[in-house]
Amino acid sequence: MPQTLRLSNRVATASRWPLGVALTSWRYLWRTTPLHRREEPGSWAQDAPPSLPASVSGDEVQHVGEGAGPLFHRRYRVRIAGPAMTAEELIDRLAADPDAASPSEFASFRKMAGEDGAMAVGDEYRVRMPGPWDGPVRVVARTPTAFRLATLAGHLEAGQIEFSVVRVEDDLQFTIESWARAGDRFSALLFDQLRMSKEIQLHMWTSFLERVVELAEGRRRRGLEIRTRRVDATAEGSLHDRDARSALDDLHDRPLNFDLADRDAYAAERGWNVDDQRQPLPPEPPGDPVPGGSWETACDLMRRYEFADPSIVRAVYEDDSPLEGRDMLLEIRFLGLRFHVGVRVGGVLDETRAVDGRSARVWGWYYGTLQGHLEMGQMQFEVWKWLDSGEVEFRIHAFSRPAEIRNPIVRLGFRVFGRREQLRFARHARERMARLIAEELGVATGARRAARTADELTVRPVRREAT
């Protein structure tokens, strides 16, 4: 693959924009498909692209950090009723020939490396589109129900895009999810400021969804859902902000601010708060976790710390670092004030547990507080699936107490408001987890039901607070 697109190539690509805009405008005027569009602010911790698998070559990959302008995390989704294909058959069909659903006036895929037909990790394509994102991509992930592409050097975008399908009851739910920034400042101007390229991209992928419905020989249920989360290039908490990066690097040599060896004794000591909280999530059929179901979706949200309410806590971390041992810089927000504290992931849990004669599949992780944190202690997050009933739960277990705080004003404020904010964080995390999973699975009624359940729950500290 060429390392960069020559100026002549970029001019040729740009010369096709007017045609693309004309086609987009024409299709927009005559479109009868209802579009449910939602745009909202995002954060780097929650909207960064997935890490590249360790087995995939990163040579020439154009990461989002190398792009320009804001990061756009977009999700296009359609639900297909009465499909003639299974989820696996639909993905196999698209992987063998992406042009089977790609509108030819918008884009075409040409394989540049790899065997003809079936798609495999490492294969490379060049995508030709009438907008500032024409360029090469590499397959970086392939499962029976999904494949993910990453942009390569010379592409006019920097990021990744994933095509996936899951079964929801008797329907198929097809999703296109992208994490991308413009490849250079000129492309960023066209995409973000003039919005020309953004609309071309929108109608290109919504047209793709409509063709997927036809390919599956089903019918569209409701309209097309489009969600866009924007992360400004200078957004606080972004790893591309030098101050945030420097603060994160400073955490690597900091020790925990409590003795982890004595954690079993904390519940019996005065002054320590020990909490166990549970949040019901949308259930699954009994047995092992369902691919793409409630349990797996919760695990994915937990890996990326997406269950945390960004209005309360935001996290900065190396997205390509292993989860176990990961340092995280947390920004705690309270009444317009912001406090930056550090935590370290101490371990990852993945096991089947026997509890009172029942078996549960459990996955989770925990972190401990580092020197300089306002608290001292540990917080553990787990997602459970009871194999006999299919019930799924999000659990939070924590023990903590105030740390030594030198600033007398901050110390007083934490003594007055710290415990309340701690419980508020956990409550919002439970409710947000239930809502996000319900949205991901397309079960709005489940989201409302889960939210009501969360309101009825009470936090049960094992020991009383210090007086």
Side-chain angles (χ1 to χ4, degrees):
M1 288 292 182
Q3 291 294 323
T4 59
L5 286 177
R6 293 189 296 271
L7 178 61
S8 59
N9 290 346
R10 294 193 175 218
V11 170
T13 300
S15 67
R16 290 164 40 222
W17 296 343
L19 176 59
V21 173
L23 289 171
T24 297
S25 301
W26 179 259
R27 293 178 65 89
Y28 181 81
L29 289 173
W30 292 99
R31 178 184 290 275
T32 58
T33 303
L35 303 179
H36 305 292
R37 300 178 64 171
R38 181 178 63 177
E39 298 195 16
E40 57 192 28
S43 67
W44 186 260
Q46 297 178 30
D47 297 293
S51 302
L52 295 181
S55 59
V56 175
S57 172
D59 293 346
E60 299 185 19
V61 170
Q62 193 159 268
H63 300 278
V64 293
E66 302 171 50
L71 166 71
F72 289 93
H73 179 193
R74 310 193 81 180
R75 186 184 69 194
Y76 312 81
R77 175 171 288 170
V78 65
R79 188 158 170 173
I80 308 170
M85 296 181 177
T86 65
E88 293 79 5
E89 289 172 340
L90 181 55
I91 282 296
D92 284 345
R93 179 73 175 85
L94 289 172
D97 180 15
D99 281 347
S102 179
S104 59
E105 69 270 26
F106 282 107
S108 62
F109 290 75
R110 180 184 177 188
K111 181 173 281 192
M112 307 296 292
E115 297 181 2
D116 292 337
M119 177 185 290
V121 171
D123 288 353
E124 296 181 359
Y125 296 79
R126 182 173 292 279
V127 186
R128 303 292 296 177
M129 293 196 291
W133 44 79
D134 187 289
V137 295
R138 176 179 297 148
V139 180
V140 295
R142 176 75 167 91
T143 71
T145 57
F147 58 87
R148 178 156 42 98
L149 312 175
T151 59
L152 299 180
H155 201 292
L156 296 181
E157 272 195 316
Q160 300 182 44
I161 187 168
E162 182 175 78
F163 303 78
S164 65
V165 58
V166 297
R167 178 163 289 279
V168 179
E169 297 176 346
D170 294 329
D171 298 345
L172 292 182
Q173 183 170 269
F174 188 85
T175 302
I176 302 172
E177 189 167 11
S178 65
W179 305 261
R181 301 171 71 195
D184 54 36
R185 292 184 179 181
F186 179 62
S187 299
L189 172 65
L190 290 172
F191 191 90
D192 185 37
Q193 301 299 321
L194 301 182
R195 299 180 66 90
M196 181 194 324
S197 304
K198 182 178 180 181
E199 291 305 308
I200 294 176
Q201 187 185 66
L202 169 71
H203 293 293
M204 185 268 179
W205 291 126
T206 52
S207 297
F208 193 101
L209 292 182
E210 292 176 324
R211 288 173 178 249
V212 166
V213 176
E214 297 176 3
L215 185 65
E217 299 181 32
R219 66 183 187 279
R220 174 176 47 79
R221 191 184 294 277
R222 300 188 295 272
L224 306 181
E225 300 176 15
I226 303 99
R227 184 192 71 175
T228 301
R229 288 172 58 85
R230 171 185 169 132
V231 183
D232 289 330
T234 56
E236 198 163 358
S238 169
L239 277 178
H240 303 297
D241 181 275
R242 283 184 292 180
D243 292 337
R245 182 58 182 264
S246 177
L248 180 64
D249 290 341
D250 184 55
L251 299 180
H252 298 334
D253 296 326
R254 291 193 189 185
L256 297 175
N257 63 358
F258 67 102
D259 189 349
L260 190 60
D262 295 335
R263 59 182 175 182
D264 293 337
Y266 292 147
E269 291 187 18
R270 184 178 178 83
W272 285 87
N273 300 307
V274 182
D275 303 317
D276 284 289
Q277 306 175 43
R278 302 180 184 183
Q279 171 64 54
L281 301 176
E284 297 182 356
D288 291 335
V290 176
S294 181
W295 189 86
E296 282 197 357
T297 302
C299 292
D300 184 60
L301 293 171
M302 287 170 58
R303 286 187 185 93
R304 299 173 59 183
Y305 202 63
E306 193 166 351
F307 58 84
D309 186 342
S311 68
I312 300 175
V313 174
R314 298 193 178 193
V316 178
Y317 56 87
E318 295 274 8
D319 64 320
D320 58 352
S321 64
L323 180 56
E324 185 167 358
R326 174 182 293 171
D327 289 334
M328 300 172 61
L329 179 69
L330 304 184
E331 180 186 78
I332 302 174
R333 301 185 171 200
F334 174 67
L335 295 179
L337 302 175
R338 300 181 182 185
F339 304 93
H340 293 89
V341 298
V343 298
R344 179 170 298 133
V345 178
V348 178
L349 313 169
D350 189 358
E351 59 191 18
T352 299
R353 295 184 190 174
V355 181
D356 297 331
R358 303 176 67 194
S359 294
R361 178 70 186 279
V362 180
W363 188 89
W365 54 275
Y366 58 89
Y367 64 61
T369 54
L370 302 179
Q371 281 188 357
H373 202 294
L374 302 177
E375 295 179 274
M376 49 196 303
Q378 178 177 286
M379 183 164 279
Q380 185 161 316
F381 309 99
E382 297 176 345
V383 56
W384 289 48
K385 178 179 179 180
W386 294 99
L387 303 183
D388 57 351
S389 65
E391 296 170 282
V392 181
E393 298 176 335
F394 175 47
R395 296 191 176 193
I396 301 176
H397 174 76
F399 59 84
S400 65
R401 66 178 300 173
E404 294 294 330
I405 303 174
R406 295 183 179 181
N407 187 309
I409 298 177
V410 175
R411 183 168 63 246
L412 175 62
F414 190 81
R415 293 285 182 180
V416 175
F417 300 107
R419 178 59 174 164
R420 187 191 73 178
E421 290 301 300
Q422 183 185 56
L423 298 179
R424 177 170 168 258
F425 163 79
R427 184 180 73 253
H428 280 234
R430 298 195 318 268
E431 295 173 353
R432 180 178 171 86
M433 175 68 89
R435 176 174 57 82
L436 290 177
I437 291 180
E439 290 179 356
E440 289 293 322
L441 300 182
V443 285
T445 55
R448 291 193 290 270
R449 182 169 59 251
R452 287 197 299 270
T453 305
D455 290 338
E456 295 166 0
L457 291 176
T458 57
V459 178
R460 301 183 298 277
V462 176
R463 299 294 297 177
R464 64 180 182 274
E465 299 177 37
T467 58

